[in-house]
């Protein structure tokens, strides 16, 4: 069967497009360039990134053996990211994909010994808390071919503002990418995440917001439309609608792999409808888009913001998808925006 991996000449463009994403997540830009320059075909990507991740695990274990805990934590964090980026392709080798995702999750646990990890059939998460008494919580929602480990740097920004962060993977995402298909009723995943937060005494479960990325930006909006316990929502580069016949193979192959069939993939794409859910979002809602984020078949986030009763739209003129090449133009202010909306009444 012809797949994304069979598309000719993809490697240089794919490496260039993913470079801001990788650097913003925390990969060393020089090492990223070195690893991707050594590839001759897109099929080599997963193996090369796994190899880099395994090298960092070895470095971390060596540092641990010599009592260098800070160096070990740094190396485990790098390992988690490299292993995660081995999974950003719609790899038809599901066993290899699952092994890389599991190794990434294990490295993250070893990198963050003070964090708390959750593992349930339909939810995996990591809760990181600042040095504050009963802080509010932001639930961080990933998107397509992404996961909780990718947004550690964004979580760091919120932690510095005294906000706890629960980064999650739902079915078909991150650690759970091959364990179950995507959940089209994603409000169920967020509902469970908020339940977990409410049950705790060390965070304030009455003050919860969402920060949702890419496809997760729409899933987060869907969740906010159904979950009144969410105080505020930020969606970064969310789709407002998808035209299946115009989507690139990277997207359609991912949808098929993560939903289980071509029919389920088309149905999942059809459900993405800003006009249906945005009017139901009563919370303060900020949508962040990049003006240079032009993906065939994808309507960007402006309709979500325009149709929501309390929506606002922040367009970054030079921004790409996820606006990671212009993070300084939106992230500090947006983190402050979330913090304000999570303040005590």
């Amino acid at each position: 069967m012809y797949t994304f991996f069979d598309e000719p000449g993809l490697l240089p463009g794919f490496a260039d497009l993913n470079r801001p994403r990788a650097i913003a997540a925390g990969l060393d830009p020089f090492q990223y360039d070195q690893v991707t320059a050594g590839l001759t075909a897109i099929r080599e990507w997963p193996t090369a990134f796994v190899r880099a991740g395994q090298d960092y695990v070895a470095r971390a274990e060596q540092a641990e053996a010599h009592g260098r805990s800070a160096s070990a934590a740094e190396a485990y964090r790098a390992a988690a990211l490299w292993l995660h980026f081995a999974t950003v392709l719609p790899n038809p080798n599901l066993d290899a994909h699952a092994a890389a995702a599991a190794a990434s999750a294990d490295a993250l646990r070893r990198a963050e010994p003070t964090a708390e990890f959750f593992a349930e059939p339909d939810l995996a998460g990591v809760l990181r808390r600042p040095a504050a008494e009963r802080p509010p919580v932001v639930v961080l929602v990933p998107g397509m071919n992404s996961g909780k480990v990718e947004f550690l740097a964004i979580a760091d920004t919120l932690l510095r503002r005294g906000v706890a962060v629960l980064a999650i993977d739902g079915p078909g995402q991150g650690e759970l990418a091959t364990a179950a298909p995507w959940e089209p009723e994603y409000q169920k995943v967020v509902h469970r995440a908020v339940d977990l937060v409410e049950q705790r005494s060390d965070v304030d479960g009455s003050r919860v917001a969402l920060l949702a990325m890419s496809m997760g930006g729409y899933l987060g909006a869907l969740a906010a439309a159904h979950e009144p316990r969410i105080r505020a929502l930020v969606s970064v580069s969310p789709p407002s609608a998808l035209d299946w016949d115009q989507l690139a193979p990277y997207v359609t192959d991912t949808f098929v792999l993560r939903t289980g069939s071509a029919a389920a993939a088309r149905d999942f794409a059809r459900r993405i409808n800003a006009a249906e859910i945005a009017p139901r979002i009563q919370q303060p809602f900020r949508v962040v888009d990049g003006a240079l984020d032009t993906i065939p078949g994808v309507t960007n986030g402006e309709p979500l913001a325009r149709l929501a009763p309390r929506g606002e739209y922040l367009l970054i003129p030079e921004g790409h998808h996820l606006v990671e090449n212009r993070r300084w133009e939106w992230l500090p202010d947006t983190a402050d925006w979330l913090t304000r909306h999570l303040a005590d009444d």
Side-chain angles (χ1 to χ4, degrees), residues 156-182:
D156 291 343
T157 298
L158 292 162
L159 287 163
R160 285 192 290 269
R161 286 159 173 78
V163 177
V165 179
L166 173 59
I168 65 172
D169 295 328
Q173 297 175 311
E175 190 175 354
L176 304 179
T178 61
W182 278 344

Side-chain angles (χ1 to χ4, degrees), residues 231-244:
R231 282 203 181 190
L233 165 68
V234 172
S235 288
V236 181
S237 297
S240 291
L242 297 179
D243 182 342
W244 180 267

